[in-house]
């Protein structure tokens, strides 16, 4: 037979010495040993207030207050009268992270002084973008667009909303809009503003407010600097970040074996990927019924999740997620060679397809702002 046709390749289209033009997302190609992933180190944090103003401090960090096993929280409470929603039409790109980098530049540079590039890292991005990469080999519904620019030796990666995502966002049902509020309301039932405080369950939910950790780590030979939003921390001040952080989630209550299987196969994949990346060790999940009443609260330890799912037939594997992400970042490095903040390589992926890219010089895709470029160059 023709063995060549059966040979699986991760990336292709190459005619030496030019670069590959695409990257496969087929799971089998990434089933090898787990890549090096260094323990993430928190190098800083920042806060966004109720008007989305940036502060180079932890003023928005909240403290976890244990809710009890079956607390009967109503997640619908306050949706109509005590809810201020962030304007999702405003695309902030990497701006808050870039602001943090500018204000903490000397700290970063002295930490990474042995390196050739200005910041001493290969990639700067949001944690959420990396989560999408980790789950790509298993994603069958939503594609993504990631813009990449190289500047000062570092590649910045910023998401571009797909057409499909924009259509979805603009056509949400009233029920869906309300359910999006439920996750934030759950946070309010469980978080206090002060170490010795109690949750203010009658207060306003404002989704402009955020506390973000900035971590540095390495995946294979890729040095990463990324930021992610953190819901709250353990009250014990002796636990260092990011080990003290706690991710909060809500999910529909599980009543049937089928629902349990779907939860393991799809939801736990996303939860694992998101928290594993910054080294957040646990998730507190509120399971709610159709009417938005929390009927059970459960803790998931990130380090146990891969054991939990091992009984599912044909389930996701952490090693596939991490190896795909590592190979994608290698692919980006091989493609994005020119150091130019106005040049964008747009990486594009649709389910059941390969990752592809296109090149855009000085277009609407350029995302590194002049205030950042000018300040870094001076
Ligand atoms: O411009 C963009 N395309 C994005 C900007 C996409 C995603 C996030 N952001 C920004 C925002 O400034 C936000 O403050 O990143 C911050 C959060 O970043 P992340 O931690 O990297 O994002 P992700 O892990 O996807 O989400 C963490 C939490 C979510 O919690 P749940 O439990 O639902 O995963 O951040 C919130 C949400 O509460 N969140 C967002 N907040 C603001 N803008 C966004 C968003 N686009 N997406 C999720
Ligand atoms: Ca959350």
């Amino acid at each position: 037979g023709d063995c060549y046709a059966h040979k699986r390749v991760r990336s292709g289209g190459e005619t030496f010495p030019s670069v590959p033009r695409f990257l496969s997302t087929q799971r089998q190609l990434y089933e090898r040993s787990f890549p090096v992933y260094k323990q993430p180190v928190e190098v800083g944090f920042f806060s966004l207030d109720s008007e989305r103003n940036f502060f180079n401090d932890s003023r928005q960090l909240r403290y976890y207050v244990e809710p009890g096993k079956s607390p009967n929280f109503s997640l619908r409470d306050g949706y109509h009268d005590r809810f201020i929603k962030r304007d999702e039409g405003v695309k902030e790109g990497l701006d808050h992270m870039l602001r943090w980098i500018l204000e903490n530049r000397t700290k970063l540079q002295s930490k990474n002084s042995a390196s050739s590039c200005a910041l001493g890292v290969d990639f700067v991005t949001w944690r959420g973008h990396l989560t999408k990469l980790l789950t790509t080999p298993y994603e069958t519904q939503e594609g993504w667009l990631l813009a990449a620019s190289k500047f000062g030796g570092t590649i910045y990666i910023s998401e571009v909303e797909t057409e499909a995502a924009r259509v979805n966002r603009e056509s949400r049902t009233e029920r869906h809009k309300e359910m999006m509020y439920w996750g934030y309301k759950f946070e309010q039932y469980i978080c206090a503003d002060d170490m010795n405080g109690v949750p203010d369950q009658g207060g306003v939910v404002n989704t402009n407010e955020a506390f973000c950790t900035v971590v540095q780590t390495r995946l294979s030979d890729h040095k990463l600097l990324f930021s992610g939003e953190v819901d709250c921390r353990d009250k014990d001040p002796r636990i260092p970040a990011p080990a003290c952080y706690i991710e909060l989630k809500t999910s529909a209550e599980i009543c049937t074996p089928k629902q349990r299987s779907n939860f393991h196969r799809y939801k736990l994949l996303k939860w694992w990927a998101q928290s594993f990346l910054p080294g957040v060790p646990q998730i507190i999940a509120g399971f709610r019924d159709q009417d938005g009443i929390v009927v059970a609260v459960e803790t998931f330890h990130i380090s146990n999740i891969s054991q939990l799912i091992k009984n599912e037939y044909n389930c996701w594997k952490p090693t596939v997620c991490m190896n795909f992400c590592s190979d994608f970042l290698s692919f980006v490095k091989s493609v994005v060679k020119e150091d130019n903040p106005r040049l964008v390589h747009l990486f594009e992926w649709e389910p059941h397809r390969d990752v592809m890219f296109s090149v855009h010089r000085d277009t609407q895709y350029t995302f590194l702002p002049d205030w950042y470029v000018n300040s870094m160059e001076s």
Side-chain angles (χ1 to χ4, degrees):
D2 182 7
C3 294
Y4 212 77
H6 298 282
K7 190 175 175 233
R8 297 196 178 278
V9 288
R10 276 192 291 280
S11 58
E14 62 258 70
T15 45
F16 185 82
S18 72
V19 296
R21 287 193 291 270
F22 58 86
L23 177 73
S24 173
T25 61
Q26 287 187 59
R27 292 162 205 177
Q28 319 86 275
L29 298 171
Y30 302 98
E31 295 205 5
R32 52 182 195 265
S33 60
F34 202 84
V36 169
Y37 190 65
K38 270 185 54 186
Q39 189 173 314
V41 173
E42 182 177 75
V43 292
F45 39 75
F46 59 87
S47 295
L48 304 173
D49 75 0
S50 59
E51 287 157 358
R52 210 72 182 161
N53 298 307
F54 174 99
F55 294 90
N56 190 20
D57 60 37
S58 61
R59 69 183 64 193
Q60 294 292 348
L61 175 58
R62 295 175 296 177
Y63 295 83
Y64 175 67
V65 178
E66 201 170 333
K69 281 274 172 216
S70 35
N72 270 317
F73 297 143
S74 171
L75 303 179
R76 305 187 72 165
D77 179 52
Y79 176 64
H80 292 288
D81 57 317
R82 299 188 325 278
F83 178 30
I84 298 173
K85 203 175 145 300
R86 186 182 65 89
D87 182 352
E88 289 175 281
V90 178
K91 299 300 173 204
E92 299 173 325
L94 297 183
D95 290 6
H96 298 305
M97 260 215 90
L98 301 180
R99 173 97 186 257
W100 181 88
I101 290 171
L102 279 187
E103 295 193 18
N104 297 274
R105 192 175 152 186
T106 43
K107 198 162 85 185
L108 258 184
Q109 284 166 334
S110 57
K111 187 178 186 297
N112 301 320
S113 56
S115 190
S116 57
C117 59
L119 287 178
V121 296
D122 299 315
F123 293 97
V124 165
T125 191
W126 283 108
R127 177 269 307 272
H129 302 354
L130 295 172
T131 305
K132 286 194 179 177
L133 289 170
L134 261 62
T135 59
T136 294
Y138 299 103
E139 179 62 48
T140 59
Q141 304 295 314
E142 288 165 22
W144 45 251
L145 285 170
L146 293 169
S149 291
K150 190 177 196 171
F151 172 53
T154 295
I155 298 174
Y156 296 79
I157 298 179
S158 180
E159 187 174 33
V160 174
E161 188 173 46
T162 64
E163 206 54 33
R166 186 184 56 78
V167 169
N168 278 339
R169 178 168 59 82
E170 287 172 352
S171 60
R172 285 177 194 142
T173 62
E174 194 43 51
R175 167 87 179 164
H176 187 193
K177 286 182 195 166
E178 182 178 335
M179 287 174 71
M180 290 181 67
Y181 165 80
W182 292 359
Y184 295 103
K185 183 64 188 175
F186 181 63
E187 294 175 10
Q188 190 193 51
Y189 277 115
I190 285 193
C191 298
D193 289 342
D194 309 288
M195 199 180 322
N196 301 307
V198 291
D200 176 16
Q201 309 185 344
V204 170
V205 170
N206 186 325
T207 61
N208 287 298
E209 297 174 3
F211 168 79
C212 295
T213 179
V214 183
V215 303
Q216 198 177 314
T217 185
R218 180 163 60 84
L219 170 60
S220 309
D221 58 344
H222 310 301
K223 289 172 116 185
L224 314 177
L225 180 72
F226 60 86
S227 175
E229 195 174 321
V230 169
D231 294 324
C232 60
R233 68 158 288 156
D234 192 290
K235 274 183 209 164
D236 187 340
R238 294 167 302 181
I239 310 174
C244 62
Y245 293 142
I246 299 172
E247 172 65 33
L248 304 177
K249 292 286 185 203
T250 57
S251 195
E253 65 177 320
I254 294 165
C255 304
T256 67
K258 177 80 182 161
Q259 286 169 344
R260 174 163 304 273
S261 175
N262 282 337
F263 174 76
H264 284 167
R265 296 172 71 88
Y266 306 109
K267 203 151 246 185
L268 276 186
L269 163 61
K270 294 196 173 169
W271 289 9
W272 171 83
Q274 184 189 42
S275 288
F276 179 77
L277 279 163
V280 170
Q282 56 179 330
I283 299 171
I284 308 287
F287 291 93
R288 49 93 192 149
D289 66 14
Q290 295 281 307
D291 301 320
I293 306 292
V294 175
V295 293
V297 174
E298 258 183 76
T299 303
F300 292 89
H301 294 275
I302 301 308
S303 57
N304 293 341
I305 287 179
S306 57
Q307 281 302 319
L308 261 181
I309 59 154
K310 279 208 171 112
N311 292 326
E312 293 294 339
Y313 174 72
N314 202 9
C315 202
W316 58 275
K317 296 190 181 84
T319 199
V320 168
C321 301
M322 299 304 284
N323 283 318
F324 172 74
C325 185
S326 175
D327 285 11
F328 174 78
L329 296 176
S330 300
F331 179 54
V332 172
K333 274 182 180 170
S334 74
V335 167
V336 183
K337 290 290 188 190
E338 182 180 330
D339 204 297
N340 177 354
R342 303 163 82 87
L343 173 63
V344 167
H345 285 82
L346 189 62
F347 292 84
E348 175 178 356
W349 179 72
E350 284 299 329
H352 316 296
R353 302 251 182 273
D354 292 331
V355 179
M356 311 204 288
F357 69 89
S358 51
V359 190
H360 307 264
R361 241 171 239 280
D362 260 313
T363 67
Q364 81 273 12
Y365 291 119
T366 291
F367 64 89
L368 288 172
D370 288 336
W371 56 259
Y372 182 73
V373 172
N374 294 337
S375 178
M376 286 295 274
E377 278 171 344
S378 65

